[in-house]
């Protein structure tokens, strides 16, 4: 029996390891069917970088429906690349897929839609009322942001989703045959109005020196060009074959288009990187890592009830295995983008989560209290959940600002300052566990309290070092980019607050002004400082760092602050009542 109990942790790890491996199996098209997943590995330029069509499809569908797959008219789950191909080929199926999520009741009434489970609707269901939507969205855009209500915000959001759907389709429609140069010029002027918006540039350069172009724009130019770009014919034939459900022509043209890309200098390395990105998208390692972090968190909770040693061991091994996947996924993003791991808010979320998980495992290895496991799993899941919601805005590998396109500073200042965020946040989370367990349970004895106190203190020391060094490096970057070391910008002030608060806690503890409980209460407030510097200053919309704005963050930020203040109040209960 004891031998079986010792095997439980390994059985759990093997089970979830097999689960992850099953999710990592590359997507394949069935024999005799269109090779749409292979099409998904073809290149397209959108939002500032070359990416596979699969990424464009997933990001577009995520913006429209909050999901990376959809349910077709037969009730079957289908990949995003099928949705994109239907949209680009102007298939009638694209207008019948229930992918638009509309949950505002006032908006549903205006569009004359009935409420249904999931709140997902097809374009064909509200096509006749799109004019009303455009009118409402335009009126909302004309109002001051402070005067917009929920209906205004939702109307603008739905109009933008419809814009993505429309632009993906119209920009890939083949222009009709025209009889004169005047007809071509007129159609080009109509298309130029569409060019004001970001369009997928799916036609690669025909000769050296040219740039990528939207398909319809390139097709119009081909009508008056003595030597049209061959890629236009390949893509047009592919989309027509898909529209006509001609499997043989689609698959043959796919091979020919790949050969054409190789002939114009789209080298094998680029092709492999796009294929790798498409398979990375299919695996969704961050999503499945978050699922396993939840399992590890539950193991930690059950460990406090019974079988503590066995379940804590299982949680430790499971978190360690997931950290390997988490780490590999970050390395994969570096390979795909060619940049260091953090280039936007999404990157900060997955990196800070990674740092918290690694720190939690190190703490658990030293003290074996189960607290390191618990904080690692909670932080890993929470940060990846934040990253999931941030992905709803589009490409997660897009740069925030042109000034950030500096690999040296991205590799130094950004990584170091985020390590400071991570350490301050981790110390605060350990403090939350210490206070909640101390007040509500009898599990915090003197030895446990001492170990938790040493953990908080040590992590805060690391946090002070990295936040200080990161802030100095940020000043050097500012001097290099903007000509001044310090400008009291809100983001700079936020970083300085973290440095000063960590220094205050350590000074108070070293000077004997607070003991472990007081240090823990102060560390919890450090979570508020970190959240403000990480997210809060972006909501002000002022300063040179006013990028990464995300709607709805202010609400959740206030909720988080309220919970931390509640924990601090709990910690101030007299120790004899713990």
């Amino acid at each position: 029996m004891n031998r079986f109990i010792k095997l439980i942790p390994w059985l759990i790890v093997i089970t979830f390891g097999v689960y992850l491996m099953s999710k990592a199996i590359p997507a394949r098209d069935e024999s005799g069917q269109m090779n749409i997943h292979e099409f998904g590995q073809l290149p397209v330029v959108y939002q500032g970088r070359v990416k596979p069509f699969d990424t464009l499809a997933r990001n577009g569908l995520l913006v429209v429906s909050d999901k990376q797959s959809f349910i077709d008219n037969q009730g079957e789950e289908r990949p995003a690349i099928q949705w994109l191909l239907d949209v680009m080929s102007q298939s009638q199926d694209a207008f019948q897929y229930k992918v638009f999520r509309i949950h505002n009741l006032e908006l549903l009434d205006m569009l004359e839609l009935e409420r249904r489970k999931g709140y997902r609707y097809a374009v064909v269901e509200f096509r006749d009322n799109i004019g009303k939507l455009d009118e409402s969205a335009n009126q909302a855009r004309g109002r001051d942001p402070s005067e917009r209500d929920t209906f205004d915000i939702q109307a603008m959001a739905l109009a933008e989703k419809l814009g993505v759907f429309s632009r993906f389709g119209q920009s890939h429609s083949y222009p009709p045959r025209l009889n004169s140069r005047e007809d071509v010029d007129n159609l080009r002027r109509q298309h130029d109005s569409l060019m004001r918006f970001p369009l997928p540039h799916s036609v690669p350069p025909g000769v050296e020196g040219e740039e990528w172009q939207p398909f319809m724009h390139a097709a119009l130019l081909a009508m008056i060009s003595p030597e049209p770009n061959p890629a236009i014919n390949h893509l047009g034939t592919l989309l027509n074959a898909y529209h006509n459900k001609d499997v043989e022509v689609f698959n043959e043209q796919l091979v020919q288009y790949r050969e054409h890309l190789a002939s114009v200098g789209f080298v094998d390395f680029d092709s492999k990187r796009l294929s790798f990105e498409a398979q990375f998208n299919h695996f969704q390692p961050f999503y499945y890592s978050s699922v396993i972090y939840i399992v590890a968190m539950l193991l930690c909770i059950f460990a406090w009830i019974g079988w503590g040693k066995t379940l804590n061991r299982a949680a430790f091994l499971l978190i360690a295995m997931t950290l390997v996947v988490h780490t590999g996924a970050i390395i994969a993003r570096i390979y795909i983008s060619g940049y260091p791991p953090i280039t936007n808010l999404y990157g900060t979320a997955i990196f800070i989560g990674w740092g918290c998980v690694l720190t939690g495992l190190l703490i658990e290895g030293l003290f074996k209290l189960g607290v390191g496991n618990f904080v690692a799993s909670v932080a890993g899941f929470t940060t990846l959940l934040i990253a999931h919601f941030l992905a709803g805005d589009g490409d997660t590998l897009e740069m925030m600002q042109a000034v950030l396109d500096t690999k040296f500073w991205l590799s130094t200042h950004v990584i170091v300052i985020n390590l400071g965020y991570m350490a301050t946040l981790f110390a605060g989370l350990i403090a939350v566990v210490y206070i909640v367990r101390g007040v509500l349970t009898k599990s915090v004895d003197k030895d446990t309290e001492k170990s938790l106190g040493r953990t908080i203190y040590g992590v805060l020391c690391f946090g002070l070092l990295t936040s200080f060094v990161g802030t100095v490096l940020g000043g050097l970057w500012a001097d290099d980019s903007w000509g001044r070391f310090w400008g009291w910008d809100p983001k700079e002030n936020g970083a300085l607050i973290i440095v000063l608060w960590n220094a205050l806690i350590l000074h108070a503890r070293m000077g004997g002004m607070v003991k472990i409980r007081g240090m823990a209460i102060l560390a919890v407030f450090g979570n508020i400082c970190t959240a403000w510097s990480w997210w809060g200053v972006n909501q002000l919309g002022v300063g040179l760092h006013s990028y990464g704005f995300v709607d709805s963050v202010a609400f959740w930020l206030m909720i988080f602050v309220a919970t931390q203040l509640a924990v601090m109040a709990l910690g101030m209960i007299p120790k004899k009542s713990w």
Side-chain angles (χ1 to χ4, degrees):
M1 183 64 179
N2 289 335
R3 182 177 296 179
F4 175 75
I5 292 175
K6 290 181 180 179
L7 288 175
I8 288 177
W10 292 106
L11 291 174
I12 292 174
V13 171
I14 291 172
T15 299
F16 282 96
V18 172
Y19 170 74
L20 281 174
M21 291 174 63
S22 69
K23 299 300 179 182
I25 297 174
R28 292 286 184 265
D29 297 297
E30 295 181 10
S31 177
Q33 300 295 320
M34 290 187 184
N35 296 330
I36 60 173
H37 288 101
E38 188 175 342
F39 177 89
Q41 298 173 13
L42 294 177
V44 60
V45 173
Y46 190 61
Q47 293 179 323
R49 73 180 184 94
V50 180
K51 64 187 70 174
F53 271 104
D54 181 81
T55 298
L56 178 69
R58 289 173 181 270
N59 292 342
L61 189 57
L62 195 62
V63 169
V64 168
S65 70
D66 302 329
K67 297 182 69 176
Q68 293 189 24
S69 60
F70 71 101
I71 305 299
D72 67 11
N73 300 326
Q74 286 71 46
E76 298 290 332
E77 185 175 6
R78 298 298 182 187
I81 188 62
Q82 179 177 328
W83 170 80
L84 181 64
L85 276 166
D86 281 318
V87 172
M88 292 195 306
S89 65
Q90 299 287 290
S91 168
Q92 288 303 310
D93 290 339
F95 297 90
Q96 296 172 0
Y97 294 144
K98 297 180 177 65
V99 296
F100 287 89
R101 190 164 184 267
I102 310 171
H103 53 80
N104 182 270
L105 301 183
E106 190 177 353
L107 196 55
L108 288 173
D109 291 339
M110 186 191 75
L111 297 175
E112 300 178 14
L113 296 171
E114 295 182 0
R115 303 174 196 176
R116 65 165 63 121
K117 184 179 179 180
Y119 293 99
R120 297 190 185 277
Y121 302 87
V123 173
V124 71
E125 295 183 274
F126 58 90
R127 176 185 286 167
D128 294 339
N129 293 304
I130 289 179
K132 296 180 183 178
L133 174 65
D134 289 338
E135 183 180 352
S136 298
N138 289 332
Q139 289 176 356
R141 294 187 188 101
R143 294 191 181 99
D144 187 272
S146 62
E147 297 178 355
R148 294 171 185 161
D149 57 18
T150 303
F151 173 79
D152 292 334
I153 295 172
Q154 293 297 323
M156 289 166 52
L158 180 58
E160 176 56 31
K161 292 176 181 180
L162 276 171
V164 171
F165 176 85
S166 177
R167 293 194 295 273
F168 280 12
Q170 291 181 35
S171 63
H172 286 87
S173 61
Y174 212 99
R177 287 293 173 187
L178 303 175
N179 299 319
S180 67
R181 175 63 181 265
E182 183 180 358
D183 291 338
V184 172
D185 290 339
N186 289 335
L187 193 56
R188 284 188 64 187
R189 279 193 291 271
Q190 295 176 22
H191 188 248
D192 285 343
S193 64
L194 191 65
M195 291 285 288
R196 292 178 300 170
F197 302 96
L199 299 177
H201 288 52
S202 52
V203 179
V207 295
E208 187 176 352
E210 289 185 356
E211 296 182 351
W212 289 72
Q213 299 177 20
F215 176 80
M216 188 176 184
H217 191 206
L220 285 170
L221 292 176
M223 291 183 177
I224 56 175
S225 172
E227 296 183 7
N229 188 339
I232 302 167
N233 182 56
H234 288 299
L235 276 172
T237 305
L238 272 169
L239 294 177
N240 284 333
Y242 182 86
H243 181 86
N244 297 325
K245 304 187 187 306
D246 192 330
V247 176
E248 184 177 355
V249 172
F250 183 88
N251 292 341
E252 287 179 356
Q253 195 63 220
L254 196 58
V255 173
Q256 294 178 23
Y257 185 44
R258 282 191 172 279
E259 292 174 352
H260 168 73
L261 289 173
S263 69
V264 296
F266 200 79
V267 296
D268 188 49
F269 170 75
D270 296 322
S271 179
K272 287 181 178 178
R273 183 157 60 178
L274 292 180
S275 298
F276 179 82
E277 182 174 349
Q279 298 301 341
F280 177 82
N281 295 339
H282 174 72
F283 181 20
Q284 299 183 72
F286 294 120
Y287 171 77
Y288 291 109
S289 293
S290 68
V291 171
I292 299 180
Y293 283 138
I294 293 177
V295 176
M297 181 172 58
L298 293 175
L299 289 175
C300 293
I301 293 172
F302 289 136
W304 295 336
I305 301 174
W307 277 14
K309 185 176 180 180
T310 300
L311 293 182
N312 274 326
R313 176 68 173 167
F316 181 86
L317 293 174
L318 195 60
I319 294 170
M321 180 195 73
T322 310
L323 180 64
V324 172
V325 177
H326 196 153
T327 305
I330 291 176
I331 294 173
R333 283 173 55 84
I334 296 173
Y335 168 70
I336 291 168
S337 68
Y339 281 89
I342 306 173
T343 57
N344 52 31
L345 285 177
Y346 180 93
T348 68
I350 60 175
F351 183 81
I352 288 175
W354 173 84
C356 285
V357 173
L358 178 60
T359 305
L361 289 179
L362 294 175
I363 297 301
E364 186 63 27
L366 288 174
F367 298 108
K368 294 180 174 60
L369 296 174
V371 175
N373 284 340
F374 181 74
V375 173
S377 59
V378 169
F381 166 71
T382 303
T383 52
L384 291 183
L385 181 65
I386 292 171
H388 172 75
F389 286 115
L390 288 172
D393 290 334
D395 192 352
T396 62
L397 287 167
E398 185 183 14
M399 280 291 202
M400 276 191 297
Q401 270 191 355
V403 71
L404 295 179
D405 192 1
T406 310
K407 292 184 180 181
F408 174 77
W409 293 114
L410 286 172
S411 302
T412 52
H413 159 69
V414 174
I415 288 179
V416 175
I417 199 70
N418 276 274
L419 286 175
Y421 290 169
M422 179 278 298
T424 308
L425 185 63
F426 188 89
L429 293 175
I430 291 287
V432 169
V433 173
Y434 163 71
I435 292 172
V436 173
R437 283 183 62 181
V439 173
L440 302 181
T441 74
K442 297 182 179 180
S443 61
V444 181
D445 54 28
K446 288 186 177 181
D447 290 338
T448 301
E449 182 180 38
K450 185 177 180 180
S451 297
L452 292 175
R454 290 170 60 189
T455 299
I456 295 171
Y457 186 86
V459 175
L460 284 175
C461 288
F462 180 75
L464 174 61
L465 174 64
T466 50
S467 58
F468 174 74
V469 173
T471 301
V472 172
L473 289 172
L476 294 174
W477 187 2
D479 184 59
D480 182 49
S481 298
W482 299 319
R484 91 290 188 278
F485 180 84
W486 193 265
W488 299 106
D489 187 271
K491 193 74 172 178
E492 297 167 349
N493 295 341
L496 181 61
I497 287 172
I498 292 178
V499 175
L500 295 177
W501 190 255
N502 284 341
L504 181 150
I505 300 173
L506 295 176
H507 178 74
R509 179 60 180 145
M510 292 176 64
M513 289 178 279
V514 297
K515 295 184 179 180
I516 294 176
R517 181 166 69 109
M519 180 177 64
I521 294 171
L522 294 174
V524 173
F525 190 80
N527 290 341
I528 298 175
C529 296
T530 304
W532 172 252
S533 182
W534 187 10
W535 295 100
V537 296
N538 294 19
Q539 307 305 300
L540 298 176
V542 296
L544 294 172
H545 295 82
S546 59
Y547 44 75
F549 179 86
V550 181
D551 290 335
S552 80
V553 163
F555 171 77
W556 292 108
L557 195 61
M558 288 188 292
I559 294 294
F560 177 76
V561 170
T563 61
Q564 301 309 290
L565 293 175
V567 172
M568 292 175 67
L570 193 65
M572 293 178 187
I573 296 174
K575 193 69 177 292
K576 61 183 180 181
S577 300
W578 283 33

